[in-house]
Structures are given as C-alpha cells and as structure tokens.
Amino acid sequence: SSGPITIFLDDVQWADPSSLLLITSLLESSKENKCVFFLFCIRDNEIQRSPNSPVFNWYQSTLKMPLKHITLANLNEEGVNSLVSDTLCLFPRLTRHLSQVLHHRALGNPFFVWQLLDTLQKEGYLYHSLRGTVKRWAWDMDKINSLRISDSVLALLMREMNKLPDDL
C-alpha cells in the first residue's frame, strides 16, 4: 500500500480569497479521508492583522480546525553554526566565527543564511583551499566583515536577479 498524497503550499500569506476558499474546501472534504496530507507554510509575521484581511481571517479559522500547527522560529547562533558546518562539511569549531557573522547579518533566517553563503561562494569570498592533502572550504574573515552585503533578504535577492541576463 502507498502512503498519502502530499500537497504542499508555500507562502499562503500571499493567497487571494478564491485560493483560500479552495484550500478550505479541500481541507473540509478530506477530513475523513486519510489519503491526503496537507502541508502549508505561512509567515504569520507577514499577515495584515485586521478583520478586513481575508488571509488573517482564514488563518484564524484554521486555528479551530483539527490541524497540527508548528511554529518555526529563526535559528539561534548555534543553529546557524550547525547549518554552516554541515553545509561546508567542517567541524563546528572551525565555522563558529563565520557563523556568528552570518547569524548577525541574517538574524537567524535560514533562507537568508543560505543566500549569504551562496553569495560569498559566487563572489569568491568562500573558496576551496588545499590544506596539506585535504581540500576544504576557507574564507577571509576580514574581507567578509568589510563586505557590503544587504541586511535584507529582498535586497540580496534583487541584487542576484539584477545579475541575470536581460533576455531571461
């Protein structure tokens, strides 16, 4: 036998009223049916909190449904260090200082940490180095500390999008 069908919807905070109605209908019609597993991601800090907001009203109504709500917080400094050390395949003690800078810039937002790592690698601030016979990631903290990287995820993404060819 196979498992349930998984339906994953991201950024539900941007959904229009018709989409929210469809989501509610799907949820209600599958209450008895265990063949569908719904996973919604919603940034509750981006919801306009007013009685006139369809998304806010929909979100409030889901709190009364028999759903499992999981709230994810930003990563603490140790969490960012785990992410960085796992990504770079290095011991956490070696990535701690870099992780502290990334945590400060990203405020613990894991997506922003990934974007910062990607930007550092693409721009040559994070590079492979040969230590003895072992190839590993290396970086220059002085250069990274002096680097002007936006403290905003949106600004960083816009910067990356501006690098795309015009014909895209």
Side-chain angles (χ1 to χ4, degrees):
S1 87
S2 62
I5 295 172
T6 300
I7 298 177
F8 173 70
L9 297 174
D10 194 11
D11 289 331
V12 176
Q13 73 274 7
W14 304 118
D16 65 349
S18 297
S19 299
L20 296 171
L21 188 59
L22 174 63
I23 293 169
T24 302
S25 177
L26 288 170
L27 282 170
E28 289 175 353
S29 68
S30 65
K31 276 185 198 173
E32 308 299 320
N33 188 344
K34 303 294 183 200
C35 295
V36 181
F37 175 74
F38 290 98
L39 182 61
F40 303 107
C41 288
I42 186 166
R43 295 174 195 201
D44 59 355
N45 63 330
E46 293 185 18
I47 296 174
Q48 179 187 1
R49 300 191 184 289
S50 85
N52 299 332
S53 167
V55 176
F56 178 72
N57 290 330
W58 177 83
Y59 180 71
Q60 291 298 101
S61 74
T62 66
L63 297 174
K64 299 174 187 126
M65 294 180 182
L67 303 173
K68 176 84 172 165
H69 289 265
I70 302 170
T71 303
L72 300 177
N74 285 335
L75 300 174
N76 60 20
E77 214 170 85
E78 195 58 39
V80 170
N81 193 34
S82 292
L83 176 67
V84 172
S85 71
D86 287 348
T87 301
L88 302 180
C89 298
L90 294 170
F91 291 112
R93 65 181 167 74
L94 298 174
T95 59
R96 187 161 280 109
H97 190 214
L98 175 62
S99 297
Q100 288 170 339
V101 170
L102 294 176
H103 180 265
H104 176 74
R105 295 271 175 106
L107 301 174
N109 180 321
F111 177 72
F112 196 18
V113 171
W114 277 99
Q115 290 299 312
L116 288 170
L117 281 171
D118 186 55
T119 299
L120 291 174
Q121 187 273 324
K122 284 180 179 172
E123 295 186 6
Y125 294 97
L126 184 62
Y127 52 90
H128 278 109
S129 174
L130 194 59
R131 294 250 173 149
T133 59
V134 178
K135 186 174 162 181
R136 69 168 209 145
W137 288 103
W139 53 90
D140 182 332
M141 282 309 304
D142 291 332
K143 286 183 181 178
I144 290 173
N145 280 327
S146 66
L147 189 61
R148 296 182 52 87
I149 296 178
S150 173
D151 289 332
S152 154
V153 177
L154 179 60
L156 183 65
L157 290 175
M158 292 301 294
R159 179 177 160 201
E160 291 299 312
M161 288 177 64
N162 286 334
K163 293 179 184 177
L164 295 172
D166 291 335
D167 60 343
L168 270 182

